[in-house]
Amino acid sequence: MTDHDHTPRPAALGLTGLAVGLGIIGVSIGFATLLGLTATASGGDETTDYGPMAVTAVSSLVLGLLLIAGAVLLWRAHRAARVVIGVAVALLVMSSIARMVVDSVTFISVLGSVLSLCALVAMGVLLASSGVREHVREGVPLRLN
């Protein structure tokens, strides 16, 4: 083993944790929403007004899976990790901005938008950090000791 195997990578670990956490939240919300829409449709209720909700659920599911895949790639120090997570973060930023423009302004919508953007800014900073760049460049997977 080389010394690189035991080098702590806090930026890479932080970004991996944020990506997995937000990915799990996205997959959970998307799956639960699709499950609710399916239950509503199977109950015989009219679902034509739920089109935007279905699109949101599918996009949440896909972006969550993209973040989880990016986290796995980052853990393995794969070169595509930064691109995958970067694309997911960019799409999430656009989604957050669109939600702020379209949604009605309530306390919870403002709070959710601010917290989402804070998490995405943190991910962007970590993504651009030298620690993550070095981790991917060296190609040594992360380890928990």
Side-chain angles (χ1 to χ4, degrees), residues 31-51 53-54:
F31 179 74
T33 305
L34 287 176
L35 192 62
L37 288 172
T38 303
T40 301
S42 67
D45 291 339
E46 183 64 35
T47 58
T48 55
D49 295 335
Y50 295 130
M53 188 183 297

Side-chain angles (χ1 to χ4, degrees), residues 22-91:
L22 289 177
I24 289 171
I25 290 169
V27 168
S28 299
I29 289 171
F31 179 74
T33 305
L34 287 176
L35 192 62
L37 288 172
T38 303
T40 301
S42 67
D45 291 339
E46 183 64 35
T47 58
T48 55
D49 295 335
Y50 295 130
M53 188 183 297
V55 170
T56 301
V58 170
S59 67
S60 180
L61 192 64
V62 169
L63 284 173
L65 291 172
L66 191 63
L67 281 169
I68 292 170
V72 169
L73 290 172
L74 184 59
W75 186 270
R76 302 292 305 154
H78 194 278
R79 291 178 188 231
R82 292 180 68 215
V83 173
V84 171
I85 293 174
V87 166
V89 168
L91 289 171

